[in-house]
Amino acid sequence: MLHDMSENHEKSSSGAANGSSFNEDNERNHPDSEALSLPSSVAGSGTLDRLVDTARDYARAAASDNTLRAYAKDWAHFARWCRMKGADPLPPSPEMIGLYLADLASGSGPSPALSVSTIDRRLSGIAWNYAQRGFTLDRKNRHIATVLAGIKRKHARPPVQKEAILAKDILAMVATLPYDLRGLRDRSILLLGYAGGLRRSEIVSLDVGKDDTPGSGGWIEILDDGAVLTLNAKTGWREVEIGRGSSEQTCPIHALEQWLHFAKIDFGPVFVRTSRDGKKALEARLSDKHVARLIKTTVLKSGIRAELPEKDRLALFSGHSLRAGLASSAEVDERYVQKQLGHASAEMTRRYQRRRDRFRVNLTKAAGL
């Protein structure tokens, strides 16, 4: 995936000599993974060419599809900005990157100022793209580090967290769904995602069995007492145990069994699209965007936070609301919640707990006041 650095310098200098600027269309037509190739000193062969293709496949799997899409957009935006300023994004220039960050924060152009977290993500995307092209971006360079530190000091705000979906909320949301095939599927998605504290990408990546499909992100084993989900998540492989509920109406495992039975799914993706009339399960795996749309739709239909305008209600909830809901609602030892969510630290788990422990311990009174 790495360009030879001298080759990049040669291309950059030859482009400048010809009076040509960076061509964004050419950049789009040459994916980063295609940059991985044999050294110029090694003669190609059928075996080596196949290994190059295999290595490119592994390189593309180094990050999630969502991350790769975000990084591609970050690079395209930065490359376009450089072109408009009469500069070339290759090789990396800390001075230009510092000016780019300042432009993003100030909102001096037609676009509004970006949040600190978005600017930080843009910088990560740019650094990642440089790495794929054989360059190293020194984020500690004073032209970058001091500008970014100033942006954070001047513009940083508390993180905006999505609202947690609590137990009463998920029951109200599920109650809005019909009992046709599509409704069975969506009911299973909501209950399983909530009880498992799953990311929306984890929900839709599940297969019925191990190694059912190449694009699988995990599989399900249904047992008498519940189900064990084996997930290949962003923190590595982990197992998630989801026990059976107190009633069939609210049990995520019963909902899953109902969906699999009536959809006649015993192999491949667990959650697939349905026909237009909602009566037949198709083969195509659902997109994770369906989970986000499902949450917002059922939130509106169920009347959650009905005192707010519709636009504000939609902005409050997302796929992460399921994970935050489990963390906030489960009255158990924090260690179990941390394990279920797959967090490396208890501090990260506490970020998901929306007001659960607020004023539970009153240090004012404990201090004698």
Side-chain angles (χ1 to χ4, degrees), residues 203-242:
I203 296 172
V204 299
S205 69
L206 286 169
D207 276 2
V208 175
K210 182 180 178 181
D211 299 329
D212 278 358
T213 65
S216 170
W219 62 91
I220 295 177
E221 182 183 5
I222 299 178
L223 306 172
D224 291 340
D225 294 329
V228 177
L229 280 56
T230 304
L231 299 171
N232 186 9
K234 49 195 299 189
T235 54
W237 286 98
R238 81 178 199 274
E239 284 189 350
V240 172
E241 298 176 4
I242 301 179

Side-chain angles (χ1 to χ4, degrees), residues 50-321:
R50 285 191 294 273
L51 282 176
V52 168
D53 290 337
T54 301
R56 287 174 178 170
D57 289 338
Y58 282 128
R60 278 188 285 267
S64 71
D65 290 342
N66 287 339
T67 299
L68 293 176
R69 280 193 292 268
Y71 284 172
K73 290 179 180 178
D74 293 338
W75 180 257
H77 188 274
F78 174 63
R80 190 182 307 113
W81 182 89
C82 287
R83 191 179 71 251
M84 293 175 65
K85 306 302 179 188
D88 194 317
L90 297 173
S93 165
E95 295 85 352
M96 289 303 294
I97 293 174
L99 295 178
Y100 174 68
L101 299 180
D103 198 16
L104 296 179
S106 64
S108 57
S111 301
L114 299 182
S115 67
V116 172
S117 60
T118 302
I119 293 172
D120 223 356
R121 208 288 313 283
R122 285 273 176 93
L123 182 58
S124 296
I126 293 169
W128 187 89
N129 276 279
Y130 274 129
Q132 311 318 306
R133 290 160 174 80
F135 296 105
T136 299
L137 178 63
D138 182 11
R139 295 182 57 161
K140 295 183 179 179
N141 182 285
R142 63 187 179 91
H143 294 284
I144 298 174
T146 54
V147 170
L148 186 59
I151 290 172
K152 290 181 177 180
R153 183 177 179 84
K154 188 173 182 179
H155 298 294
R157 297 288 184 273
V160 178
Q161 295 182 317
K162 294 298 182 180
E163 193 86 357
I165 292 174
L166 304 179
K168 59 182 178 60
D169 300 325
I170 197 72
L171 295 181
M173 292 163 64
V174 166
T176 67
L177 297 171
Y179 280 89
D180 60 3
L181 196 59
R182 188 177 296 157
L184 292 177
R185 179 198 66 192
D186 290 346
R187 183 174 285 99
S188 178
I189 287 174
L190 290 176
L191 291 174
L192 201 72
Y194 181 81
L198 306 178
R199 300 175 179 89
R200 62 184 192 180
S201 59
E202 293 171 343
I203 296 172
V204 299
S205 69
L206 286 169
D207 276 2
V208 175
K210 182 180 178 181
D211 299 329
D212 278 358
T213 65
S216 170
W219 62 91
I220 295 177
E221 182 183 5
I222 299 178
L223 306 172
D224 291 340
D225 294 329
V228 177
L229 280 56
T230 304
L231 299 171
N232 186 9
K234 49 195 299 189
T235 54
W237 286 98
R238 81 178 199 274
E239 284 189 350
V240 172
E241 298 176 4
I242 301 179
R244 293 187 181 273
S246 55
S247 71
E248 289 188 349
Q249 287 70 30
T250 61
C251 176
I253 309 306
H254 178 74
L256 174 64
E257 290 172 329
Q258 290 285 294
W259 157 247
L260 293 176
H261 172 73
F262 287 104
K264 300 178 181 178
I265 296 175
D266 56 10
F267 181 85
V270 171
F271 296 114
V272 296
R273 300 179 184 276
T274 60
S275 58
R276 191 176 296 274
D277 60 8
K279 296 181 179 180
K280 181 181 179 182
L282 307 178
E283 294 183 358
R285 187 189 300 273
L286 277 179
S287 163
D288 65 339
K289 293 180 180 178
H290 174 80
V291 180
R293 288 193 297 265
L294 173 63
I295 290 170
K296 292 179 181 295
T297 300
T298 51
V299 161
L300 288 181
K301 289 182 178 179
S302 62
I304 298 172
R305 301 298 300 272
E307 73 278 6
L308 298 176
E310 180 176 309
K311 182 180 179 181
D312 295 339
R313 293 168 67 196
L314 289 174
L316 280 176
F317 297 93
S318 72
H320 259 61
S321 296

Side-chain angles (χ1 to χ4, degrees), residues 38-39 42-53:
L38 290 172
V42 176
S45 67
T47 301
L48 287 176
D49 289 343
R50 285 191 294 273
L51 282 176
V52 168
D53 290 337

